[in-house]
Amino acid sequence: MSKTCTLSETGELLKQANKIVIVSHVSPDGDTLGSSLALMHALRSLGKEVVMNVDDDIPAVYSFLPGIQEYRRFAAGESVEADLLVVIDASSADRAGNAMEAVNALAVLNIDHHKTNTHFADYLYLDADAAATAEIIYSLLLTMAVPLNIDMATCIYEGLYTDTGSFKYSNTTSNTLATAAALLKLGVNPSTISDNMEVKSRHQVEMLGEVLKTLTFLHDGRVAFVEIAPELYDHNIDTDTFVSYPRYIEGVEIALLFKQVEANLTRVSFRSKAIDVAKIALSFGGGGHQKAAGCSIYAPLKEAEKTVLQALEELFV
Ligand code: 5GP
Ligand code: MN
């Protein structure tokens, strides 16, 4: 069980440490990367030694983020000494990848906004009302009295942009928009972020075409899913937004994307308009938010689909 911290206690933990490893979650998205990089820029401005880690490939779409080249992936068996290991935007230890084993830290601090958080770290700052972990990072840097520069502001904006679906999901609050407004005052140009985020490779659009052919409806159109079979899967192609196609179809209450990424590993993304999909993801060892969640099923595609779709049955009787 974690010790729950206030924002100023979180700031103190960071200030007291000299060597800090910042870990972003596997299957990295704009929030975990933007939040981690903003914190890196801030801590380096305070003279800290900071190592950036993610135990996964980083999709090319994030290459514009200032500092993204600083990420490294720890090799199997590698051992890294640190005063503090900071795990960003991850609700459970498995989301930190191999960092939990590789880093020999005096303490682990988790900064997160998932209501499914499992309290796995020594210290936890959790705000489930924050639209993005980036919203927490902004408040944290203010609390720590770190002067924000354009790099930090861009990275924080990226996190807000990603987790709110560009400021349109129901998690967007007046505080989210006030934070975004403050970032614009620091020089962030919204189109710099959206132009970079919306750009698609030809392969990605071609793949989307193939994935949409798999669109399947269940329960009178209240559930819709698409799938990525191994022969179509390419880890270099970012498919994070594909689940939004079934999601926006009239009458669909739960949308899913099934993606087989290894012989016995299928990643599942859940989206909903109201039903609590975090609960469903959690029952499979995953987690997330009420309307956006995910999990890994250790089975090939069709078997994973059967397992997850069976669990949805009882919601639609
Ligand atoms: P996505 O479907 O975009 O991968 O994830 C949607 C949300 O669910 C994100 O907030 C993400 O952090 C969370 N999530 C996705 N997969 C997992 C998982 O395997 N474990 C946990 N704990 N959370 C997940
Ligand atoms: Mn997030």
Side-chain angles (χ1 to χ4, degrees):
M1 209 56 185
S2 308
K3 180 193 180 308
T4 309
C5 296
T6 63
L7 215 45
S8 60
E9 285 168 343
T10 307
E12 277 312 305
L13 280 171
L14 291 162
K15 282 189 170 172
Q16 280 160 17
N18 284 316
K19 183 170 177 187
I20 299 165
V21 179
I22 299 179
V23 179
S24 299
H25 66 68
V26 293
S27 304
D29 60 18
D31 188 28
T32 195
L33 296 171
S35 297
S36 302
L37 287 168
L39 187 59
M40 173 194 83
H41 291 299
L43 293 173
R44 286 191 178 164
S45 78
L46 298 176
K48 310 284 181 194
E49 185 187 345
V50 182
V51 173
M52 299 299 287
N53 169 261
V54 64
D55 189 15
D56 212 336
D57 294 330
I58 299 177
V61 68
Y62 301 114
S63 47
F64 75 100
L65 287 176
I68 194 85
Q69 70 288 350
E70 298 292 310
Y71 273 98
R72 12 180 337 234
R73 194 168 180 175
F74 299 138
E78 187 171 349
S79 180
V80 179
E81 298 291 319
D83 299 325
L84 190 64
L85 171 62
V86 189
V87 183
I88 299 286
D89 193 41
S91 58
S92 50
D94 57 303
R95 300 280 285 163
N98 67 0
M100 298 295 284
E101 294 94 63
V103 181
N104 190 8
L106 300 177
V108 181
L109 165 67
N110 178 207
I111 303 176
D112 188 30
H113 71 130
H114 294 94
K115 65 170 186 171
T116 57
N117 192 286
T118 58
H119 295 241
F120 65 91
D122 301 313
Y123 298 96
L124 171 66
Y125 183 83
L126 176 66
D127 179 1
D129 294 325
T133 297
E135 197 173 320
I136 300 172
I137 297 293
Y138 177 78
S139 303
L140 175 65
L141 299 189
L142 287 194
T143 304
M144 293 173 75
V146 176
L148 266 72
N149 62 26
I150 182 69
D151 287 349
M152 298 172 208
T154 301
C155 293
I156 294 171
Y157 189 94
E158 168 68 19
L160 299 180
Y161 176 95
T162 302
D163 272 21
T164 59
S166 39
F167 305 100
K168 63 177 190 270
Y169 296 157
S170 58
N171 58 354
T172 309
T173 64
S174 60
N175 188 59
T176 318
L177 295 179
T179 305
L183 299 171
L184 296 205
K185 282 193 192 138
L186 288 163
V188 171
N189 180 348
S191 71
T192 307
I193 284 86
S194 60
D195 287 352
N196 277 291
M197 291 302 292
E198 281 171 22
V199 76
K200 310 242 176 318
S201 71
R202 238 165 98 166
H203 284 129
Q204 198 179 358
V205 177
E206 283 162 2
M207 191 193 221
L208 175 62
E210 292 305 311
V211 172
L212 289 179
K213 288 182 194 160
T214 71
L215 180 62
T216 306
F217 294 94
L218 296 165
H219 303 291
D220 295 324
R222 295 165 73 190
V223 174
F225 70 87
V226 288
E227 64 181 37
I228 305 177
E231 54 276 16
L232 195 58
Y233 176 68
D234 178 345
H235 80 277
N236 290 312
I237 300 181
D238 179 19
T239 57
D240 283 358
T241 57
F242 287 11
V243 69
S244 58
Y245 292 87
R247 170 192 201 142
Y248 287 126
I249 299 170
E250 232 177 349
V252 170
E253 293 171 40
I254 298 183
L256 304 100
L257 166 72
F258 295 95
K259 176 166 72 175
Q260 184 176 331
V261 296
E262 284 171 27
N264 269 310
L265 177 57
T266 301
R267 290 276 316 149
V268 189
S269 288
F270 299 83
R271 298 292 184 272
S272 90
K273 290 184 183 131
I275 294 170
D276 188 356
V277 285
K279 226 160 106 182
I280 306 167
L282 194 61
S283 74
F284 290 109
H289 309 284
Q290 176 165 340
K291 297 179 181 178
C295 65
S296 296
I297 305 280
Y298 295 89
L301 185 69
K302 292 294 167 187
E303 205 181 311
E305 283 177 3
K306 205 170 151 207
T307 309
V308 172
L309 295 172
Q310 240 162 26
L312 297 185
E313 289 288 322
E314 64 190 61
L315 296 172
F316 296 96
V317 282

